[in-house]
Amino acid sequence: MAKKKFVVGSFKEESVLFPAVKAVRKAGYKIHDVFTPYAVHGLDHEMGLRETSIHTAGFIYGITGTATALGCISWILVQDWPLNIGGKPHFALPAWIPITFELTVLFSAVGMTMTFCYLCQLAPFVKKHHFVLRSTDDTFAMVIDAGKSNSQEIIAFLEAQGAVDVHEQFAETGWWFGTYNKEQQLYKDTTVDIA
Amino acid sequence: MHLKYEAQIREPLVDGDKDYHQVSEDICRPIEVKPSRLWYIGFFISIALLLFGVWSIYDQVVYGVGQWNLNKTVGWGWDITNFVWWIGIGHAGTLISAILLLFRQGWRTGVNRAAEAMTIFAVICAGQFPIWHMGRVWLAFFIMPYPNSRGPVWVNFNSPLLWDVFAVSTYFTVSLLFWYTGLLPDLALIRDRAKTKFRKFFYGITSFGWTGSTKHWQRHEALSLVLAGLATPLVLSVHTIVSFDFATSVIPGWHTTIFPPYFVAGAIFSGFAMVQTLLLILRRVFNLQDYITLGHIEAMNKVIVLTGSIVGIAYLTELFIAFYSQNQYEAYAFFYTRANLFSPYGWAYYGMMTCNVLSPQIFWFRKMRRNIYVTFFMSIIVNIGMWFERFVIIATSIFRDYLPSSWSIYYSPSIFEIGFYVGTFGLFFTCFFLFSKYFPVIAIAEIKHVLKTSGQNYKEQVGGIELQKVEEFAGEYAH
Amino acid sequence: MVSIKEQFEIPAKMKTWAMALIAIGIISVVIGFIMHGTGTEEEQSVFWGTIMYNSIYFMLICNATMFFVCAVTLAMGGWHLVFQRVAEAISVMVPIFGVITFAVFLYIIFGGHLHSIYHWIDKDAVAKDKLLDGKSGFLNPTFFMVWSILSIGLWSILGARMRKLSVEADESPMDYEKGKHFVWRNTVTAGLFIVWFALTIGSVTPWFWLMSLDAHWYSTMYSWYTFASTFVSGCALIALWVIYLKNKGYLEYTNEEHLHDLGKFMFAFSIFWTYLWFAQYMLIWYANIPEETIYFKPRVQGVYKGIFFFNLIINFVAPILILMKKSTKRNYTMMTFMAVLILFGHWIDFYQMVMPSISKNTLTLGWLDFGVAALFIGLMIHFVGKALARKPLVAKYHPYLKESIIHQA
């Protein structure tokens, strides 16, 4: 993990952001990410992101829950310790449907949420670099991976697209353990400043 | 980019001249300033009520369940009534977030956060009743199926009471996840605005390091939709299973097939009433009238009159089938003990009918739906009515059973039962006061999402689209 | 600029199909009548029972499309407007099928005295039967007929009023005030329809028409179950007609976004139907009271066993597995398949609600059932086609229409 060079531009309007994303991609710059205060519909497609397959994961967790419930209950009430309950057959399927349903939902919901947190790397005490502090408030922050190219050129390009407050940042892209109430020196910075 | 547009004749969801930043300011303010004196008064009253409940439970645990006035046939009294009542109230949150999300009701964005929080607290309150009713509460873990040291003795999976354990705990977990994943972006906002060290620390931890990355939002949206899809049948299943506690038996007045959907409708009914009570106070205390508008209140009142009428049809259906079945036991339960003003519990049945079926009908009138005082009054009436409903179902069906020699005397609660119930109010409001102080009571990110289509100032700007010819409009924007 | 091809013209092929199906239907009914209509009471009952469940089923699913329109109107929905006229057109079948249904009831109750269909019309049996005698304040021919007229009549009148209101949106652009007033008037009529719908389909009507087939048996859930069954079929019916028109090049503004939402309705209400099915079945199974389990005896253990479980597979397992995926709901072919499957499934559901009560020991499903169904389908194609051609397919100046055009599922 190392610090990388980025160019950050802020947008105030969705209607400016969308054409800008298109132009930036067309110009061949690599968008690291766009940080938005709310879910902007269609932005993921505009940026060329792949559809998430978190639904499929949810389906798989769900049928795991179904199988667990039916498997456990039928083993317990038919094999392990059969009891005559209300004169019903040992394999009393209608009476098991409620618990089966609940476990299906439980497995699916818990599994999906954990998958979500894992994929997005979200957890208590996780700290990430914030490019633009107001991007959780009212700013759409576009972050371009500058790589080895000239930042000034990108800055000019972004400004032409209507971005404000365009600047360059060196930042860590991953996450580390920490809290937000103190500044932290991450690692010993071994990279050489290029700019 | 996809056109965002909403018909002009729709009422704005956000009033006033707002931009994104103003929304953040308005909703975060209560968290960032010192609570008002009113807040402290309310909070300490809640704590006092809670302490009364703690005392009642302490006494009950030390001396046993005999402290309650349960008797030979009324083995379930106030405890189960209150359990069902609280669980019912806990249905509105998920309904607002999940079902209304699927039905595309835009107004849910203003009220879902508080409603979901309320759901979670109501379920916590509900859970107290079966737990403490066990008597030896330290053995409560026996209800969990696990291979134990007493040999292969398992819980009874065919028992509706065990289904309840699974249903309530699943419901609690899923509601919590749904609520909390929705909170993450808003907590991150507060973290990024934070000036004090405590806030930076607290919201830094609770926001899980959320940044607002597009990929994260994409997954977040997908997760919310699927959780909503899961929560919809889940919310139906919970009260359905609660109704199974009664309906699987062969007790007249309990065993009837309409119970599951009818309980669900009743639950939504009482849940919405509780949401109204809380939101009407909240919008006043925190100055959120621009976000919880009269339009929101009207929409919720429509749900109340709808569900109240569904419940009314169910009551009449039960009553009718008691006649139609020509079953003498059913007839006794319905026509002698319930719909009879002179029977011992007749007052409760007619109280229920008045509060739940008759009085909500005033919400057919738009003037009434948009009147805050009427709404507040009705929201309390409805919850009283729904308490009566549960009490009627539980007490009237069991205080006179098949065997007249075991007929019990009139059941009325002891001070410990009352104290326990009052204590759960304390618990509920304590939680709600803390929530309203430390968490954003309105889903900020969701409001921002609809702001440009449904905010008052933005709606005024797009009037031109309204005048455009349909053909031109479609040519430009249809996909 | 997009040109609106909004005026439907009935294709020749459609006319041929309608006439062919009606012909098949009439021939089946005539042959059926010759074979069974004058036979033993048992044979007659099966014949009339078959016609009865078909007419009730087809009338109720057409009525459910008007319920759909009214429910969405009351919920202040705007997304459905690009195809609302389709749902409206289907609902013109209510008075037509209503007359047929009513005629069938008239014959069963007054003409044929078919006691093995409605046991409670047999005066001698009622006099000897304490339970039926007790019910006779409710279960009597007069009240049955009055309630049937009221049900069908008010559905027809209120439905016609909704359709008439809709035409106003063709005339001229509406300004803010006019638009608001128009929507308000729509909600009032829709509200009346919903209230009457709740009092009929949500309670009394299915008790009369269907539940009283087993005159001793009772279930409080029964009416809501009937509602769920017809409503999911109604959604499927709308989807089917929308897809047909779309294939013919009409309904330019309707696209897979709207289809997706119709698919969601079909999916959600298939599950809702299953939920009610399960609640009714499980509670009766669990309590095991003979008065109640008698209903399921011929269905679960008798000759109808196969149909009973087939019903569950086709109406629950298939929709939940196939319609769960987003891509299925946006695919015209898959949606056509699912809509047909759901319509067929709930037709079978009505079959198993009615026929086991009439013919307990012999399975009656055969050519006659399909023949009668063909008659109703033919009539529906004929009249709905005419209704569609009568006015533009899109209410051009409806205040919410633009929302519907840009709708995203």
Side-chain angles (χ1 to χ4, degrees):
Chain A
M1 293 240 227
K3 286 193 172 183
K4 278 164 60 176
K5 186 173 75 171
F6 296 99
V7 171
V8 183
S10 297
F11 293 84
K12 290 285 174 192
E13 291 292 334
E14 257 184 65
S15 50
V16 186
L17 174 69
F18 272 81
V21 169
K22 198 173 252 172
V24 167
R25 287 187 67 200
K26 211 172 163 193
Y29 297 120
K30 188 178 161 208
I31 298 182
H32 169 67
D33 211 335
V34 178
F35 297 94
T36 58
Y38 60 89
V40 181
H41 280 184
L43 186 60
D44 46 345
H45 295 288
E46 200 67 61
M47 284 169 60
L49 297 178
R50 179 177 89 74
E51 273 302 333
T52 170
S53 37
I54 202 165
H55 327 80
T56 317
F59 179 73
I60 294 167
Y61 295 132
I63 52 173
T64 314
T66 318
T68 309
L70 285 178
C72 287
I73 301 177
S74 53
W75 177 74
I76 288 166
L77 289 187
V78 180
Q79 287 289 317
D80 192 41
W81 198 261
L83 280 172
N84 182 341
I85 301 162
K88 295 280 183 281
H90 292 312
F91 192 85
L93 190 61
W96 302 345
I97 298 296
I99 293 182
T100 308
F101 170 78
E102 299 300 331
L103 284 195
T104 307
V105 170
L106 185 69
F107 274 51
S108 180
V110 173
M112 269 182 75
T113 312
M114 282 166 64
T115 310
F116 166 75
C117 286
Y118 171 73
L119 289 175
C120 299
Q121 301 286 295
L122 300 172
F125 295 104
V126 157
K127 192 170 174 180
K128 289 174 184 166
H129 176 74
H130 236 40
F131 289 94
V132 177
L133 212 52
R134 282 183 71 143
S135 67
T136 45
D137 185 351
D138 62 350
T139 303
F140 307 93
M142 189 196 288
V143 180
I144 292 178
D145 193 341
K148 290 203 168 58
S149 49
N150 183 359
S151 310
Q152 290 312 318
E153 187 190 310
I154 305 176
I155 290 173
F157 185 81
L158 271 188
E159 274 170 349
Q161 298 304 320
V164 291
D165 191 23
V166 189
H167 62 279
E168 188 187 57
Q169 275 187 30
F170 288 88
E172 167 61 55
T173 52
W175 59 274
W176 58 94
F177 286 112
T179 53
Y180 283 81
N181 53 334
K182 40 184 156 282
E183 286 300 318
Q184 272 156 318
Q185 188 61 47
L186 294 179
Y187 317 95
K188 211 176 272 170
D189 197 355
T190 52
T191 47
V192 188
D193 275 12
I194 317 159
Chain B
M1 193 182 113
H2 187 71
L3 174 74
K4 282 187 168 186
Y5 157 81
E6 188 185 281
Q8 288 289 311
I9 60 165
R10 286 187 196 275
E11 217 175 326
L13 291 177
V14 182
D15 280 344
D17 189 18
K18 298 276 192 279
D19 60 12
Y20 292 139
H21 183 64
Q22 191 59 40
V23 173
S24 312
E25 287 286 327
D26 288 348
I27 301 173
C28 294
R29 193 181 309 114
I31 301 165
E32 293 167 349
V33 297
K34 277 217 158 60
S36 63
R37 180 178 293 174
L38 220 62
W39 187 90
Y40 277 113
I41 294 172
F43 185 66
F44 284 115
I45 293 176
S46 308
I47 294 278
L49 296 179
L50 177 60
L51 288 177
F52 184 30
V54 170
W55 169 76
S56 310
I57 289 179
Y58 171 79
D59 196 90
Q60 190 257 104
V61 171
V62 171
Y63 297 101
V65 188
Q67 295 294 77
W68 293 354
N69 275 357
L70 300 175
N71 55 38
K72 235 182 314 181
T73 57
V74 186
W76 283 0
W78 266 45
D79 46 345
I80 299 299
T81 304
N82 298 333
F83 163 71
V84 181
W85 188 75
W86 274 119
I87 277 282
I89 285 172
H91 275 55
T94 314
L95 182 101
I96 288 176
S97 325
I99 299 183
L100 299 184
L101 179 92
L102 298 177
F103 274 97
R104 321 187 161 284
Q105 298 288 308
W107 55 271
R108 82 197 161 77
T109 49
V111 295
N112 59 358
R113 172 69 45 73
E116 282 167 34
M118 184 212 78
T119 289
I120 291 163
F121 307 143
V123 174
I124 292 172
C125 291
Q128 303 306 316
F129 290 94
I131 290 176
W132 296 104
H133 192 176
M134 287 176 194
R136 293 179 201 179
V137 74
W138 48 92
L139 297 179
F141 64 92
F142 276 20
I143 58 176
M144 285 302 172
Y146 65 100
N148 51 57
S149 55
R150 303 181 297 280
V153 179
W154 295 95
V155 288
N156 179 4
F157 289 97
N158 293 4
S159 160
L161 298 179
L162 187 76
W163 305 346
D164 252 350
V165 174
F166 279 88
V168 175
S169 49
T170 301
Y171 185 56
F172 177 72
T173 314
V174 176
S175 301
L176 192 68
L177 294 177
F178 194 41
W179 177 69
Y180 202 81
T181 47
L183 262 172
L184 286 178
D186 293 354
L187 294 174
L189 165 67
I190 301 170
R191 171 198 71 201
D192 294 342
R193 287 166 55 91
K195 299 278 188 301
T196 66
K197 270 210 144 148
F198 167 74
R199 257 183 260 141
K200 276 189 180 156
F201 175 75
F202 179 70
Y203 295 106
I205 294 173
T206 48
S207 64
F208 285 20
W210 176 266
T211 52
S213 153
T214 307
K215 187 70 197 176
H216 293 184
W217 273 119
Q218 184 201 39
R219 293 191 188 118
H220 189 267
E221 286 273 282
L223 177 71
S224 310
L225 262 175
V226 179
L227 282 185
L230 287 171
T232 307
L234 179 65
V235 76
L236 262 71
S237 83
V238 176
H239 229 60
T240 294
I241 289 174
V242 170
S243 83
F244 285 164
D245 292 348
F246 305 101
T248 49
S249 70
V250 288
I251 293 173
W254 282 11
H255 177 66
T256 173
T257 47
I258 208 172
F259 254 32
Y262 141 49
F263 263 49
V264 173
I268 293 164
F269 181 55
S270 66
F272 264 85
M274 188 57 108
V275 173
Q276 289 279 35
T277 315
L278 293 176
L279 285 183
L280 286 175
I281 300 173
L282 207 62
R283 75 196 280 271
R284 187 71 165 270
V285 174
F286 290 160
N287 278 322
L288 294 170
Q289 284 95 335
D290 285 345
Y291 300 94
I292 303 165
T293 64
L294 280 182
H296 289 87
I297 291 166
E298 183 180 9
M300 284 193 277
N301 280 337
K302 283 181 187 166
V303 178
I304 286 180
V305 68
L306 171 75
T307 46
S309 306
I310 293 177
V311 168
I313 287 188
Y315 292 160
L316 297 179
T317 300
E318 277 186 324
L319 206 59
F320 171 78
I321 296 288
F323 149 76
Y324 181 84
S325 66
Q326 294 288 308
N327 178 326
Q328 53 175 322
Y329 303 106
E330 290 284 334
Y332 182 80
F334 278 95
F335 298 110
Y336 179 74
T337 41
R338 289 189 186 175
N340 171 8
L341 201 52
F342 304 104
S343 81
Y345 289 112
W347 54 272
Y349 187 84
Y350 283 95
M352 158 188 113
M353 276 292 188
T354 317
C355 297
N356 287 352
V357 184
L358 295 180
S359 60
Q361 304 302 329
I362 63 161
F363 284 144
W364 286 103
F365 302 102
R366 184 179 148 90
K367 267 231 169 81
M368 295 291 126
R369 288 199 299 264
R370 296 178 78 89
N371 184 320
I372 290 177
Y373 300 100
V374 172
T375 305
F376 190 75
F377 178 70
M378 277 307 304
S379 71
I380 288 166
I381 291 291
V382 165
N383 267 323
I384 295 173
M386 284 310 290
W387 191 89
F388 276 141
E389 178 198 302
R390 278 61 179 259
F391 185 70
V392 165
I393 291 171
I394 290 158
T396 60
S397 275
I398 49 178
F399 94 116
R400 305 250 162 112
D401 67 0
Y402 290 112
L403 194 64
S405 63
S406 66
W407 282 7
S408 66
I409 47 162
Y410 188 74
Y411 161 78
S412 56
S414 74
I415 183 73
F416 303 105
E417 287 171 276
I418 297 172
F420 189 7
Y421 183 43
V422 171
T424 52
F425 272 100
L427 180 61
F428 180 76
F429 283 107
T430 306
C431 291
F432 200 80
F433 274 111
L434 287 174
F435 159 74
S436 64
K437 172 66 191 80
Y438 291 105
F439 292 91
V441 291
I442 289 178
I444 305 172
E446 293 195 37
I447 290 284
K448 286 178 184 166
H449 185 72
V450 298
L451 184 68
K452 296 249 159 135
T453 33
S454 313
Q456 195 184 7
N457 48 336
Y458 296 100
K459 287 197 83 160
E460 282 158 11
Q461 285 166 20
V462 295
I465 292 181
E466 202 74 11
L467 303 172
Q468 221 174 2
K469 270 196 169 159
V470 182
E471 292 87 344
E472 284 170 17
F473 176 85
E476 210 166 320
Y477 303 110
H479 38 94
Chain C
M1 208 156 106
V2 184
S3 64
I4 313 180
K5 200 172 147 199
E6 58 179 10
Q7 191 59 50
F8 178 67
E9 284 161 31
I10 304 170
K13 219 174 166 186
M14 187 173 163
K15 279 184 199 161
T16 332
W17 268 99
M19 287 307 147
L21 283 169
I22 293 174
I24 293 173
I26 290 175
I27 293 167
S28 316
V29 172
V30 170
I31 296 177
F33 186 77
I34 293 166
M35 285 173 68
H36 308 295
T38 49
T40 61
E41 185 172 333
E42 166 104 22
E43 279 179 353
Q44 283 191 42
S45 300
V46 170
F47 173 71
W48 285 101
T50 306
I51 295 179
M52 185 189 78
Y53 85 78
N54 271 292
S55 51
I56 296 178
Y57 171 72
F58 283 101
M59 174 175 55
L60 291 187
I61 64 171
C62 293
N63 199 30
T65 63
M66 186 39 85
F67 174 78
F68 173 85
V69 171
C70 291
V72 184
T73 306
L74 276 189
M76 295 289 162
W79 66 276
H80 68 296
L81 275 161
V82 287
F83 64 84
Q84 177 173 323
R85 285 278 160 86
V86 181
E88 285 173 11
I90 300 170
S91 72
V92 301
M93 298 311 296
V94 174
I96 299 165
F97 286 160
V99 169
I100 298 176
T101 313
F102 191 72
V104 173
F105 285 146
L106 270 182
Y107 180 79
I108 290 173
I109 290 177
F110 298 110
H113 294 288
L114 295 170
H115 302 156
S116 46
I117 295 184
Y118 290 122
H119 190 50
W120 49 268
I121 55 175
D122 183 351
K123 288 212 178 70
D124 301 331
V126 171
K128 274 183 247 153
D129 190 321
K130 208 178 134 215
L131 296 182
L132 288 186
D133 196 38
K135 294 180 192 203
S136 61
F138 174 76
L139 277 187
N140 58 63
T142 325
F143 195 17
F144 183 100
M145 282 302 167
V146 170
W147 192 264
S148 303
I149 293 176
L150 277 177
S151 300
I152 300 168
L154 278 173
W155 295 336
S156 308
I157 293 169
L158 291 168
R161 246 179 87 172
M162 277 304 279
R163 291 194 292 271
K164 209 176 145 199
L165 262 174
S166 163
V167 180
E168 284 181 31
D170 289 335
E171 289 155 10
S172 59
M174 296 190 202
D175 59 9
Y176 182 82
E177 284 306 318
K178 207 177 157 201
K180 247 189 141 151
H181 186 63
F182 176 70
V183 170
W184 182 76
R185 278 168 54 217
N186 267 299
T187 51
V188 171
T189 313
L192 288 173
F193 184 90
I194 296 274
V195 168
W196 183 241
F197 192 84
L199 291 175
T200 48
I201 294 296
S203 60
V204 183
T205 308
W207 296 337
F208 266 136
W209 292 354
L210 300 170
M211 199 167 89
S212 75
L213 288 163
D214 295 273
H216 292 98
W217 182 76
Y218 54 89
S219 165
T220 39
M221 175 76 95
Y222 200 82
S223 300
W224 293 9
Y225 175 82
T226 314
F227 157 72
S229 188
T230 55
F231 184 59
V232 67
S233 320
C235 294
L237 194 58
I238 298 172
L240 209 54
W241 274 97
V242 165
I243 294 169
Y244 170 77
L245 289 169
K246 191 78 192 157
N247 277 343
K248 285 271 165 284
Y250 298 98
L251 295 178
E252 294 196 21
Y253 300 147
T254 311
N255 49 43
E256 61 271 25
E257 306 287 342
H258 305 93
L259 198 67
H260 188 172
D261 266 13
L262 273 174
K264 281 183 197 163
F265 266 85
M266 280 154 61
F267 175 69
F269 282 90
S270 285
I271 296 175
F272 182 69
W273 172 86
T274 316
Y275 160 63
L276 296 186
W277 181 94
F278 173 74
Q280 175 168 285
Y281 176 76
M282 196 279 285
L283 286 176
I284 290 174
W285 169 85
Y286 201 106
N288 209 9
I289 300 174
E291 284 101 312
E292 293 182 345
T293 48
I294 188 76
Y295 177 77
F296 287 113
K297 188 82 184 156
R299 288 169 177 83
V300 183
Q301 293 176 343
V303 287
Y304 292 91
K305 194 175 175 180
I307 300 249
F308 185 78
F309 289 106
F310 177 65
N311 179 27
L312 200 59
I313 291 169
I314 202 169
N315 288 332
F316 170 61
V317 183
I320 195 176
L321 289 181
I322 298 173
L323 282 177
M324 195 186 311
K325 259 185 90 78
K326 183 179 166 186
S327 53
T328 324
K329 284 176 287 210
R330 299 172 81 87
N331 180 314
Y332 286 86
T333 322
M334 280 314 287
M335 277 291 282
T336 315
F337 173 70
M338 283 315 298
V340 172
L341 193 72
I342 285 174
L343 283 166
F344 175 66
H346 287 278
W347 180 73
I348 287 285
D349 187 27
F350 264 68
Y351 173 82
Q352 69 86 31
M353 279 156 90
V354 172
M355 295 314 283
S357 309
I358 295 171
S359 163
K360 284 201 169 45
N361 301 317
T362 24
L363 185 69
T364 63
L365 192 68
W367 59 270
L368 182 64
D369 299 83
F370 293 98
V372 177
L375 173 65
F376 283 93
I377 294 169
L379 286 172
M380 193 197 298
I381 293 174
H382 180 71
F383 286 104
V384 173
K386 270 184 150 177
L388 283 169
R390 213 170 295 143
K391 50 191 176 188
L393 289 173
V394 172
K396 204 170 161 188
Y397 297 115
H398 196 292
Y400 292 157
L401 180 63
K402 285 174 186 160
E403 279 183 16
S404 184
I405 291 173
I406 57 162
H407 173 68
Q408 274 192 316

